[in-house]
Amino acid sequence: MLSASGIESRPPPNNSAHPFARRVVGSMADLALVLDSSGTIVDVWLGETLKDETGWMYLIGRKWVETVLPDSRRKVAKLRESLDKGGELVRPREINQQVDGLGSVPVRFGGFVSEDKHFVLPGQDLRTIAELQQRLVSSQQAMDLEYRRLRQADTRYRVLFHVCSEGALIVQGDARKVVEANPAAASILGQSVDDLQGKKLLDLFAKGSRDNLLTLLGAVEAGGTHTRVQLEANDQTRLMASASMFRQAGVVLLLVRFWPADGPGAIEGRESRMLHVLEALPDGFVVIDEDRDVLSANSGFCEMVQRADESHVVGNSFERWFGRPGLDLNIVLSNLREHGVIRNFATVVRGDFGAAQEAVVTAVTAKNGGKPCYGFLIRPVSASQRVLDPGATSLIPRSVDQLRELVGRVSLKEIVQESTDLIERLCIEAALDISGNNRAAAAQVLGLSRQSLYSKLRRHGLGDLDS
């Protein structure tokens, strides 16, 4: 019979129990191997924990040295040599025992010579210990990795803290004392970094600014964000300051940032206020790139298109929600490239779940790192949204009105082209509606070949051509 390892093994004999081995195993080991003078296993006895693992019994009748892994054969020889010399208890050795159906099993074998001149090898199963050791090693590696990550994060923090052009103070929350200060803070306040540490925060600014500073700290501790106040240093330098709160090792700390009121921070403050206003606008505001992909959008636009937040909009094509496919956005971008701005363009904004609403768009061209980008301010015509039937004829008057509004802003050639596209699209939609969306029948109604119809469907974005 071949074992799972490919080595011939003999089945266990009917009477393989060795009385002495049984007594030894029962008192001190998980198992025992009984060897004759030639090193052949003549008996195996299993303790309670291993009695269900029958693969051990297939070791009987085989040379013990042939049933261990190559890296353990030298240990087997040393243990046999010690037993041959005196027969006394020998130092246990850890052996990787190959067991049929179990693979390699680590066992700590001791040994002594029985009264009938057999070698008795009581063993302790080390699989549980080996598993715990492996878990310990894995945990240690994970801890080393985490410590390394924390050290790298601390290094980055130290670098940013010291090279930052803004003054930054780490302040103990309850005592209001400075724990740490960066070089920029020392320069702005006219003191050394060492002198700032341990000082009360209120003493670093003019007395007339203390109410503003307490207001700032109170707002931050109450959970407020984006709060800025004006302070004065002791040398009457006007400063802008903001603060944020965090916890470290169970202690509340405050990060207080400040910068000259007429310096780069002032520009930052104006930009920040503008961004906050745009975000709070009920009208939609979107910035797209040359590829028509959304770069940024406010919450008003996300609400219009039925998306949760800006992250669900950025990277998608703006044409997915704006106007009629292949028509409105082409007109707007053409005017923006030529004139740089377009005002009060009537269009439709579509939501992801079919809802749509009429809107008026004002758009402008800007630069983003040397590349053009386009900003759209989208104002709904009415406060309530209404569901539009894609096949409704109410689209026709609105489209005609839009085309009439283009006179004087777009060349006649472009208007005629857009009108032709509109009429072609409406005719195709009507033919598909009449034929029950049977494209072959729709092609006959329109007097087109099926290939021509498919080409026009693809150009106008009609139908699911992939299916």
Side-chain angles (χ1 to χ4, degrees):
M1 180 185 298
L2 292 178
S3 66
S5 59
I7 302 175
E8 183 179 358
S9 59
R10 299 179 179 88
N14 294 329
N15 185 13
S16 61
H18 192 286
F20 191 76
R22 288 180 180 275
R23 290 196 298 271
V24 172
V25 172
S27 62
M28 60 179 294
D30 296 322
L31 75 153
L33 304 182
V34 181
L35 280 62
D36 60 15
S37 58
S38 66
T40 302
I41 301 173
V42 297
D43 200 357
V44 176
W45 196 89
L46 303 176
E48 288 297 322
T49 58
L50 303 180
K51 64 180 181 179
D52 295 330
E53 298 180 354
T54 58
W56 292 93
M57 306 306 297
Y58 287 95
L59 298 175
I60 298 175
R62 299 172 60 188
K63 293 283 189 181
W64 184 37
V65 72
E66 297 175 356
T67 65
V68 300
L69 294 184
D71 60 351
S72 298
R73 290 175 183 173
R74 185 175 180 181
K75 298 179 182 179
V76 169
K78 289 289 185 181
L79 193 150
R80 283 286 312 279
E81 182 181 348
S82 299
L83 290 173
D84 288 337
K85 286 181 178 179
E88 299 179 355
L89 285 171
V90 298
R91 180 175 62 85
R93 288 174 170 81
E94 294 183 3
I95 306 295
N96 290 320
Q97 180 71 54
Q98 190 74 19
V99 182
D100 190 39
L102 299 177
S104 175
V105 179
V107 182
R108 180 182 288 118
F109 281 110
F112 59 91
V113 181
S114 66
E115 295 178 355
D116 55 359
K117 304 303 181 182
H118 281 80
F119 300 115
V120 181
L121 307 174
Q124 179 186 2
D125 186 0
L126 300 179
R127 279 177 288 184
T128 301
I129 297 176
E131 183 180 356
L132 291 175
Q133 289 175 340
Q134 182 60 42
R135 290 183 180 178
L136 179 62
V137 171
S138 299
S139 299
Q140 185 63 42
Q141 291 176 343
M143 290 176 61
D144 290 343
L145 183 62
E146 183 66 15
Y147 285 144
R148 189 181 306 115
R149 187 186 67 81
L150 290 175
R151 286 195 299 269
Q152 292 173 350
D154 183 69
T155 300
R156 289 193 293 268
Y157 155 74
R158 294 291 175 186
V159 171
L160 290 174
F161 189 72
H162 284 82
V163 304
C164 179
S165 60
E166 297 177 352
L169 301 174
I170 306 296
V171 180
Q172 190 174 348
D174 52 356
R176 299 285 197 269
K177 288 185 178 181
V178 176
V179 177
E180 194 170 356
N182 71 340
S187 176
I188 294 174
L189 297 176
Q191 302 185 45
S192 68
V193 172
D194 294 336
D195 291 339
L196 289 176
Q197 293 182 359
K199 283 194 173 182
K200 287 187 173 294
L201 181 64
L202 294 178
D203 295 338
L204 301 178
F205 299 92
K207 292 183 178 180
S209 299
R210 292 183 179 180
D211 289 341
N212 287 348
L213 183 56
L214 291 174
T215 300
L216 173 64
L217 299 180
V220 172
E221 291 174 346
T225 58
H226 309 301
T227 303
R228 285 183 169 83
V229 297
Q230 184 170 322
L231 304 176
E232 283 188 2
N234 288 324
D235 62 357
Q236 307 302 314
T237 301
R238 293 174 56 251
L239 305 172
M240 295 296 297
S242 67
S244 57
M245 183 175 65
F246 63 96
R247 289 182 178 271
Q248 188 176 64
V251 179
V252 176
L253 299 175
L254 298 170
L255 172 62
V256 180
R257 300 165 45 232
F258 50 92
W259 57 90
D262 54 351
I267 299 176
E268 177 187 340
R270 289 195 296 270
E271 291 179 348
S272 178
R273 287 193 296 272
M274 186 178 297
L275 291 176
H276 294 159
V277 170
L278 289 176
E279 177 63 26
L281 274 178
D283 297 339
F285 182 77
V286 186
V287 180
I288 67 173
D289 58 16
E290 270 289 320
D291 297 326
R292 308 186 181 193
D293 293 333
V294 177
L295 299 176
S296 182
N298 71 344
S299 57
F301 179 76
C302 294
E303 183 177 349
M304 286 182 185
V305 300
Q306 300 164 333
R307 288 296 182 103
D309 51 45
E310 184 184 28
S311 63
H312 293 80
V313 176
V314 173
N316 290 290
S317 175
F318 183 47
E319 199 164 10
R320 176 175 183 170
W321 303 289
F322 183 81
R324 291 151 301 179
L327 182 62
D328 288 8
L329 191 56
N330 289 340
I331 296 174
V332 173
L333 292 181
S334 176
N335 279 272
L336 288 177
R337 293 187 184 105
E338 184 175 354
H339 304 292
V341 65
I342 185 172
R343 295 181 176 86
N344 299 326
F345 180 83
T347 186
V348 175
V349 177
R350 302 182 303 277
D352 278 348
F353 301 103
Q357 60 185 137
E358 298 178 0
V360 176
V361 173
T362 297
V364 67
T365 303
K367 293 291 183 180
N368 180 28
K371 296 182 179 180
C373 63
Y374 307 98
F376 289 76
L377 183 63
I378 305 170
R379 179 172 56 84
V381 171
S382 59
S384 60
Q385 295 181 343
R386 61 187 183 87
V387 177
L388 298 179
D389 181 4
T393 58
S394 60
L395 281 174
I396 297 177
R398 178 165 59 258
S399 301
V400 171
D401 290 341
Q402 289 177 351
L403 292 174
R404 292 181 64 182
E405 291 176 1
L406 295 178
V407 175
R409 294 190 297 170
V410 181
S411 67
L412 177 60
K413 181 179 179 180
E414 293 179 354
I415 295 177
V416 171
Q417 180 63 45
E418 298 297 343
S419 302
T420 303
D421 291 343
L422 173 62
I423 294 171
E424 186 176 72
R425 178 189 175 93
L426 294 175
C427 290
I428 292 174
E429 289 177 344
L432 290 172
D433 186 49
I434 293 172
S435 63
N437 206 34
N438 186 320
R439 293 170 184 163
Q444 290 182 344
V445 169
L446 295 170
L448 298 172
S449 65
R450 292 182 63 182
Q451 290 79 4
S452 298
L453 178 60
Y454 289 156
S455 176
K456 295 180 183 297
L457 287 173
R458 186 174 294 104
R459 182 159 66 90
H460 294 293
L462 296 173
D464 186 6
L465 298 178
D466 293 336
S467 62

